[in-house]
Amino acid sequence: MAPRIQTADVVIVGGGPAGRALATRCIAHDLSVILVDPHPSRRWAATYAAWEDELPAWLPAEVASTRIERPSVWAECVTTLDRTYCVLNTPLLQSLLSNSSMQVIATKAIRLTRASVFCADGTHAVGSVVVDARGTTITPRSAQQTAFGIVVNRASAEPALDGNDAWFMDWRQDNGTRAGGQPSFLYAVPLDSERMLLEETCLVGRPPIPLTELKRRLHIRLDNRGVVAPEGPPVERVRFGVEPPPGLRGPIFRFGARGGLMHPGTGYSVAAALNEADIVASAIARGDDPLRELWPHSARGVAALRRVGLNALLTLDPEDVEAFFARFFALPVDQQRAYLSDRRDAAATANVMMSIMASSPRRVQKTLMTAPFHRRSRHARRSRTPD
């Protein structure tokens, strides 16, 4: 049987936030789009968040379900951040990025070329540009973020917050971490006017902390703070790789986390994809190379420095992680923003890293200076059970 051929200006494989953001902006630039995804109607269940100043102007303000004007961090002491943090309304975001003008092929892509996608149902999708936006992959050697969280009402969550509006990171060790164990932190944010997410998070690990251990730590932490959780609360489980697959400059254009837009030191990628979607769509509409627009020399420099930062996090001794973040969050907010959000200012990223090194204890300085040369972290050289 001859394949069914469908054509469009752009064929995007992957219907998550990155793929749909790019599809939406391509349509805004009068490009036709085919979206290939095996489960295009699956409801997005993840909690997405971003700094308010990261969100693009083309998104309506109501996409943020909550805004925390001054989130807090505990790293050796309490620090309040002068930067508004937003938790996104996931169903609304999915709705906004589901433009009815895109053709949707509900099947799995089995082979991609520069200008075509061969699908499991026999469809052959052809476009001037093919985009792979299928997210990251996980291998035994992948650096990963893991988290286990529960959703409770705001009143129940109050004892965990110590009077703060939200915890962006709370590194206190009242969570039952055993001596020398890989550290984790509490992430506590309001989802809406009534609900709060309380989540124990392994920022990055190779291997990461297992979800069962994070669940144990979360319940110990909440018990120690007097939080009474309801029976059978809604649960969020998180596990994803923070590094893109190799070969970003291969024949297939990649976007989103698969295309290197995830910050390897934080695990954040949605805001970057939302911001870069219009830049890439505009380049495609002009007939320019989207890879060149997405990855100019300055962006490649930032990515290289962020990989050094990832290696540093993976290499730090457990007892030094909290001290590292204490130095980071003591920096002026413009420097924090430069490291966390700016993809194209390598000089600013380097200055932040040098500032942290200069203020760190000598043993941490030594680790940070040698981190680029470590192919595997100390955590990876231990057994696969972190505690």
Side-chain angles (χ1 to χ4, degrees):
M1 180 183 296
R4 297 186 301 275
I5 299 176
Q6 295 192 31
T7 63
D9 296 319
V10 184
V11 179
I12 300 173
V13 181
R20 286 187 178 269
L22 181 56
T24 299
R25 299 317 296 165
C26 283
I27 291 169
H29 285 273
D30 297 320
L31 296 166
S32 58
V33 175
I34 292 174
L35 183 74
V36 180
D37 188 277
H39 305 289
S41 300
R42 177 180 289 169
R43 181 177 65 89
W44 297 349
T47 300
Y48 300 121
W51 300 102
E52 186 174 47
D53 53 36
E54 292 179 325
L55 297 175
W58 55 266
L59 274 179
E62 57 265 27
V63 76
S65 60
T66 59
R67 286 178 169 82
I68 304 102
E69 292 187 3
R70 303 189 73 204
S72 298
V73 169
W74 183 290
E76 298 185 340
C77 63
V78 177
T79 301
T80 302
L81 309 179
D82 291 318
R83 190 181 183 195
T84 302
Y85 187 71
C86 297
V87 179
L88 304 185
N89 183 327
T90 301
L92 178 58
L93 179 66
Q94 185 170 13
S95 175
L96 292 169
L97 300 183
S98 298
N99 192 303
S100 60
S101 298
M102 66 182 76
Q103 303 175 60
V104 177
I105 301 176
T107 189
K108 183 178 180 180
I110 56 175
R111 186 164 71 88
L112 281 62
T113 71
R114 189 184 296 272
S116 60
V117 177
F118 297 88
C119 302
D121 68 353
T123 304
H124 183 190
V126 179
S128 299
V129 177
V130 167
V131 181
D132 188 353
R134 291 177 290 182
T136 59
T137 56
I138 294 177
T139 70
R141 290 181 56 83
S142 297
Q144 300 169 41
Q145 183 171 124
T146 51
F148 180 90
I150 61 172
V151 178
V152 302
N153 64 57
R154 285 205 182 197
S156 297
E158 285 300 322
L161 298 174
D162 297 334
N164 296 279
D165 294 329
W167 287 119
F168 182 66
M169 289 181 171
D170 180 351
W171 288 98
R172 282 177 287 182
Q173 294 188 16
D174 58 348
N175 60 353
T177 303
R178 300 183 179 99
Q182 197 170 340
S184 59
F185 64 89
L186 176 66
Y187 174 71
V189 294
L191 300 177
D192 51 38
S193 61
E194 298 179 354
R195 301 176 303 145
M196 180 78 68
L197 173 66
L198 304 175
E199 195 161 79
E200 194 74 21
T201 304
C202 168
L203 182 62
V204 65
R206 190 189 288 138
I209 301 175
L211 294 179
T212 52
E213 170 63 12
L214 291 171
K215 179 180 180 180
R216 183 189 75 85
R217 292 187 187 186
L218 176 65
H219 286 291
I220 291 174
R221 189 192 294 275
L222 298 184
D223 287 344
N224 284 336
R225 299 192 189 184
V227 174
V228 179
E231 290 291 330
V235 168
E236 179 170 84
R237 296 177 177 86
V238 176
R239 183 184 179 217
F240 56 83
V242 301
E243 300 169 289
L248 287 180
R249 300 185 67 81
I252 312 301
F253 176 67
R254 299 178 184 176
F255 188 69
R258 196 174 190 88
L261 292 187
M262 182 177 289
H263 195 307
T266 67
Y268 280 45
S269 67
V270 171
L274 293 170
N275 266 298
E276 299 292 345
D278 202 62
I279 293 172
V280 170
S282 179
I284 294 172
R286 295 192 310 267
D288 292 339
D289 181 3
L291 183 64
R292 186 178 298 114
E293 292 294 318
L294 186 62
W295 288 104
H297 180 75
S298 56
R300 296 197 299 273
V302 170
L305 289 169
R306 286 178 174 179
R307 287 193 296 272
V308 172
L310 171 64
N311 287 337
L313 287 174
L314 291 169
T315 308
L316 282 171
D317 284 325
E319 60 268 22
D320 291 328
V321 171
E322 184 176 347
F324 174 88
F325 281 101
R327 271 66 180 179
F328 177 80
F329 287 111
L331 295 172
V333 69
D334 60 328
Q335 286 192 286
Q336 295 177 30
R337 183 184 296 110
Y339 187 79
L340 295 175
S341 306
D342 197 323
R343 290 189 62 246
R344 290 176 170 83
D345 193 338
T349 301
N351 286 338
V352 171
M353 297 171 76
M354 292 302 294
S355 295
I356 296 172
M357 183 177 297
S359 64
S360 295
R362 187 176 296 275
R363 68 180 184 281
V364 176
Q365 290 179 348
K366 182 178 179 181
T367 299
L368 297 179
M369 285 188 293
T370 59
F373 306 104
H374 282 266
R375 295 188 63 84
R376 301 185 67 193
S377 72
R378 289 187 180 120
H379 298 321
R381 291 196 295 269
R382 297 174 183 169
S383 70
R384 292 192 61 82
T385 303
D387 286 311

